[in-house]
Amino acid sequence: SDPDDAEARRNAAACVDAYCSQITPDADAMSIFNEIAAFPPWLTHRLMRHRPIQRKLDTMVAQSYNAEVLVADLAVYIMIVVVYYIQAIASLDAREAALEVQNTKDARVANYRTYILYVCSAYLLVRQMTKIYRCMKLKLLVRYVSMWTLIDLSNAALLLASSIHIHLGTGDDDKVKTLYITTAFTVFL
């Protein structure tokens, strides 16, 4: 029927309400979300306001945060904090030394710690993109991609940009210092 028809929308909403009232706590969340995926967006938004659907969604989202992932996240963030601090100081020192000795801009800091930063930023990017993909697959991108997800994505992008500047020794010194400070701030968020 016509999606703009008010009576058809009321009937569909009543069917959705009846469907949601019959969801049991032991119902399979994935099958529920596969059924919901076929609904039009306006009806999906109505479904998301029902408490049983919200509980299932919260359960699905929380299941991905098992202990292994949390430990991996903790290890990555510890590596980022320690290695980034060391590399940022080394980069700033190399920039100063390059200007004093030769008055050139050869301030590269390329060592294994720089590659650790590359790996950590790639891990953070993949982690956040996987989360966004999962929400897109369930057609719930707007609801579950929060400000913190965007902060985490910007954190990974800033870390990658800082790592490139540290590795290559490029960029204006004042702008690079601002980048380093901004990256350090987002890491601590």
Side-chain angles (χ1 to χ4, degrees):
S1 70
D2 183 15
D4 294 327
D5 184 16
E7 186 174 339
R9 282 185 177 236
R10 278 194 301 276
N11 290 339
C15 290
V16 162
D17 293 341
Y19 173 77
C20 288
S21 68
Q22 296 177 2
I23 295 177
T24 62
D26 60 333
D28 179 41
M30 202 58 199
S31 64
I32 290 172
F33 289 116
N34 285 336
E35 292 171 8
I36 290 173
F39 293 163
W42 66 269
L43 200 52
T44 303
H45 292 295
R46 181 177 180 92
L47 273 163
M48 291 304 134
R49 285 187 245 135
H50 284 278
R51 191 68 193 137
I53 300 293
Q54 287 178 351
R55 282 191 197 115
K56 291 293 178 190
L57 185 60
D58 291 342
T59 301
M60 279 187 68
V61 170
Q63 283 175 352
S64 68
Y65 294 103
N66 53 29
E68 294 87 10
V69 172
L70 290 176
V71 170
D73 286 352
L74 179 65
V76 165
Y77 277 110
I78 288 172
M79 282 191 291
I80 289 170
V81 168
V82 172
V83 173
Y84 185 75
Y85 174 77
I86 293 168
Q87 288 299 94
I89 298 297
S91 174
L92 293 175
D93 290 345
R95 285 172 184 278
E96 276 184 30
L99 286 175
E100 287 176 6
V101 175
Q102 303 169 2
N103 200 13
T104 65
K105 292 282 187 174
D106 188 20
R108 287 178 263 172
V109 179
N111 57 31
Y112 71 94
R113 287 187 295 264
T114 308
Y115 298 109
I116 290 174
L117 289 177
Y118 284 139
V119 170
C120 289
S121 61
Y123 171 82
L124 293 177
L125 283 171
V126 168
R127 176 108 164 76
Q128 292 306 316
M129 296 309 287
T130 303
K131 182 178 174 183
I132 289 172
Y133 173 74
R134 233 177 62 225
C135 289
M136 282 175 45
K137 190 173 177 184
L138 295 173
K139 296 184 180 180
L140 304 171
L141 186 63
V142 175
R143 178 164 165 77
Y144 273 91
V145 174
S146 65
M147 176 187 70
W148 290 109
T149 303
L150 299 177
I151 288 173
D152 288 341
L153 271 174
S154 65
N155 178 19
L158 284 171
L159 182 63
L160 183 61
S162 293
S163 300
I164 291 169
H165 280 294
I166 288 171
H167 189 192
L168 300 177
T170 58
D172 180 44
D173 286 346
D174 291 333
K175 290 180 182 176
V176 167
K177 286 178 185 175
T178 304
L179 175 66
Y180 291 172
I181 291 168
T182 306
T183 304
F185 178 71
T186 60
V187 166
F188 284 108
L189 280 180

